[in-house]
Amino acid sequence: MSKTSIYGLTFEQLTAWLLEHGHRKFRASQVWDWLYKKRVTQFSDMIDVNKECTELLEQHFVIQTLEEHVKQESTDGTIKFLFRLKDGNLIETVLMRQKFGLSVCVTTQVGCNIGCSFCASGLLKKSRDLSSGEIVEQIMKVQHHLDAAKQDELVTHVVVMGIGEPFDNFANMIDFIDVIKDRKGLAIAGRRITVSTSGLADKIKEFADANTQVNLAISLHAPNDELRTRIMKINRANPIEKLMDAVDYYLTKTNRRIMFEYILLRDVNDRVEHALELAELIRDKQQLASVNLIPYNPVDEHSQYQRSEHESILLFYDALKKQGVNCTVRLEHGTDIDAACGQLRSKQIKETPEVVL
């Protein structure tokens, strides 16, 4: 019998499963506590759960499915983990030390089919979605790393911005959010979780309807269709007008702030006229929108793109601010350890061609 990750069950799903298998409801609370508060890695360590229950769990589930393959530590405290999945595939997870806490960036797919022409994570096409358990376990692996350091540190923030398009793995992503938000477990508040999408308009509306109470970021990267289609092929199916209609639906439905992410590419999308066009595009959304300007991380395979000059970044920022746009320039983390998303994975696969794809 193929076992699945216990981390893939929400609390409600775990409760229903145990009831279906003849156990009382309180067992779910016990098991949940051992998984997420005491953070055991073996069912046999759940010492106040009766043996019949732990043996049943052992028969059907596993706790650990990810194996640490490579770990890189930056001088700024960022740690990048390359995990090997049970099928041999590799995924990346990043721990970032921020002023406001410890943030983890998780991956949702093996590879990516979105095809952004500047992105390292799309160098290898999607081979499969991650299960909700595999996404949750990334958080747990990082938390176990922190636990081992014995400094009483907890993961406080999560960004779903790693390899893959989260909205292309929608159901598993929603279950993942449910698990990490649960107050009886990791208790990561919705306001401290951000999901990033390249702009799947229909899924943005579905996300609004799901009422997850987490933050949404849109990878925009261009202020018009001609330019956005050139650098992001997803824009062919989800042009800006369709995308902005979905954004309007989201803002009306949730009344939550939204962030537009904008990677600055030298002499491509970083001129002042682009900034003014961007400001006009989101003018009617400015009360609930902000722009996060991102200095580009150059990728060897995408040598046609370079990081914008510092002066260009400042001029772009200044133009947006003068138009009343709330914007920031992203603080960089891990620039000395293959900082671009997907970069470490692609380098490792080149070095170890036997990896399953």
Side-chain angles (χ1 to χ4, degrees):
M1 180 177 62
S2 178
K3 298 180 183 181
T4 59
S5 171
I6 190 73
Y7 292 133
L9 296 180
T10 66
F11 182 77
E12 290 72 21
Q13 291 166 348
L14 175 62
T15 301
W17 190 90
L18 288 170
L19 287 171
E20 182 183 337
H21 287 77
H23 291 273
R24 296 173 65 183
K25 190 174 181 178
F26 76 92
R27 289 291 181 210
S29 295
Q30 287 182 312
V31 172
W32 198 261
D33 186 70
W34 281 106
L35 288 173
Y36 297 108
K37 291 292 189 181
K38 300 182 178 72
R39 296 188 283 279
V40 299
T41 56
Q42 299 181 79
F43 291 112
S44 58
D45 290 337
M46 299 179 179
I47 55 176
D48 65 350
V49 180
N50 68 24
K51 190 174 182 181
E52 179 187 358
C53 183
T54 56
E55 288 181 349
L56 181 67
L57 292 170
E58 186 80 49
Q59 290 170 18
H60 290 84
F61 301 103
V62 290
I63 297 179
Q64 299 193 86
T65 66
L66 275 58
E67 175 189 351
E68 186 180 301
H69 182 67
V70 174
K71 181 172 67 179
Q72 293 182 324
E73 298 193 38
S74 170
T75 54
D76 66 12
T78 300
I79 302 178
K80 194 167 194 174
F81 299 87
L82 191 68
F83 292 123
R84 186 184 294 276
L85 305 174
K86 285 293 187 183
D87 61 7
N89 279 299
L90 300 173
I91 60 169
E92 292 178 7
T93 307
V94 181
L95 168 66
M96 296 165 285
R97 292 186 175 276
Q98 312 270 17
K99 291 180 179 179
F100 50 75
L102 299 181
S103 180
V104 175
C105 178
V106 298
T107 284
T108 55
Q109 296 178 315
V110 178
C112 183
N113 281 342
I114 297 302
C116 300
S117 61
F118 49 82
C119 181
S121 67
L123 292 170
L124 296 160
K125 297 305 179 185
K126 171 190 165 183
S127 59
R128 72 172 177 88
D129 292 328
L130 294 190
S131 69
S132 54
E134 288 170 325
I135 308 173
V136 172
E137 191 178 348
Q138 293 172 63
I139 302 293
M140 298 310 298
K141 282 289 189 185
V142 174
Q143 186 58 60
H144 290 154
H145 166 82
L146 295 171
D147 292 343
K150 300 186 183 303
Q151 295 181 2
D152 295 324
E153 292 183 309
L154 295 174
V155 174
T156 58
H157 294 70
V158 173
V159 290
V160 189
M161 297 182 181
I163 298 169
E165 164 56 62
F167 282 3
D168 190 34
N169 187 13
F170 193 83
N172 288 331
M173 186 265 295
I174 292 294
D175 279 351
F176 159 75
I177 291 172
D178 195 356
V179 170
I180 66 171
K181 280 178 59 182
D182 193 283
R183 293 182 181 181
K184 298 176 292 296
L186 295 175
I188 299 175
R191 67 182 183 278
R192 295 181 173 183
I193 302 169
T194 301
V195 177
S196 176
T197 176
S198 60
L200 303 186
D202 291 344
K203 291 298 183 181
I204 290 172
K205 293 180 178 180
E206 190 175 344
F207 189 64
D209 293 338
N211 193 31
T212 60
Q213 299 294 304
V214 306
N215 305 311
L216 178 63
I218 306 286
S219 294
L220 187 60
H221 308 319
N224 62 66
D225 280 323
E226 185 278 326
L227 181 53
R228 193 166 191 263
T229 299
R230 177 148 52 98
I231 64 177
M232 298 177 71
K233 70 178 185 180
I234 190 66
N235 198 66
R236 297 169 190 163
N238 293 267
I240 287 178
E241 182 178 0
K242 183 178 180 181
L243 175 57
M244 291 302 156
D245 176 69
V247 168
D248 287 338
Y249 180 89
Y250 175 87
L251 294 175
T252 301
K253 183 81 174 184
T254 68
N255 198 38
R256 295 184 63 84
R257 295 192 62 82
I258 196 167
M259 179 189 295
F260 292 102
E261 297 174 303
Y262 196 102
I263 288 178
L264 290 160
L265 305 169
R266 185 188 302 176
D267 299 326
V268 176
N269 66 350
D270 65 345
R271 295 193 292 272
V272 169
E273 54 260 42
H274 294 133
L276 296 176
E277 194 174 1
L278 174 60
E280 185 60 31
L281 177 66
I282 64 172
R283 188 169 304 282
D284 63 340
K285 304 169 181 55
Q286 285 185 191
Q287 295 301 313
L288 286 172
S290 62
V291 174
N292 189 14
L293 301 176
I294 306 171
Y296 179 59
N297 285 312
V299 178
D300 292 342
E301 293 85 350
H302 296 316
S303 58
Q304 73 272 32
Y305 296 120
Q306 298 297 322
R307 174 179 294 218
S308 295
E309 300 285 356
H310 183 65
E311 183 180 0
S312 296
I313 296 174
L314 293 180
L315 288 171
F316 199 101
Y317 172 86
D318 188 56
L320 288 178
K321 294 293 282 188
K322 286 179 178 177
Q323 293 298 312
V325 176
N326 181 18
C327 63
T328 56
V329 178
R330 178 178 291 179
L331 182 65
E332 295 181 83
H333 295 272
T335 53
D336 55 337
I337 55 167
D338 302 309
C341 178
Q343 196 172 20
L344 175 59
R345 175 176 178 265
S346 62
K347 286 185 176 181
Q348 286 296 310
I349 287 175
K350 288 176 186 176
E351 295 171 7
T352 55
E354 74 277 5
V355 170
V356 177
L357 292 175

